[in-house]
Amino acid sequence: MRVRFAAQPMDSDASSSRPLDSGAGLAYQHSAEQAEPGYYTLAQLTDFRIWRKLPSVIPTERETYLSPRVFKELFSMPKEEFA
């Protein structure tokens, strides 16, 4: 079986290629925009075009590259309890 998808215009801006979430999702997007030293932003780690080019990022462990503050906001637990 063959599936066809409607063509959708793609912007060059990575943030505009995804629809914005309502409510709490905006809080995560806002807080993740300010990367802390040594970490990547949520936007960087969720956009394939960006994270695949980041040095030494393991695709299946991208959550580990979030800052502890953003990780806790997003997953409602500290990184240590996630594993």
Side-chain angles (χ1 to χ4, degrees):
M1 179 163 86
R2 211 167 168 190
V3 179
R4 291 186 167 215
F5 296 96
Q8 296 178 354
M10 294 295 292
D11 292 339
S12 61
D13 180 16
S15 63
S16 65
S17 65
R18 295 179 186 254
L20 290 177
D21 293 342
S22 60
L26 292 176
Y28 296 136
Q29 289 175 348
H30 176 70
S31 63
E33 292 301 319
Q34 301 159 357
E36 296 177 29
Y39 298 101
Y40 295 112
T41 66
L42 180 59
Q44 289 173 310
L45 293 170
T46 54
D47 188 328
F48 175 77
R49 296 170 292 182
I50 297 173
W51 67 256
R52 70 179 175 173
K53 295 177 184 176
L54 297 174
S56 69
V57 170
I58 301 169
T60 57
E61 299 177 6
R62 287 176 285 152
E63 70 278 358
T64 62
Y65 300 95
L66 291 168
S67 72
R69 179 183 57 79
V70 173
F71 187 96
K72 189 169 184 174
E73 285 178 20
L74 195 60
F75 294 101
S76 301
M77 68 176 67
K79 282 185 175 185
E80 297 78 28
E81 291 180 18
F82 185 74

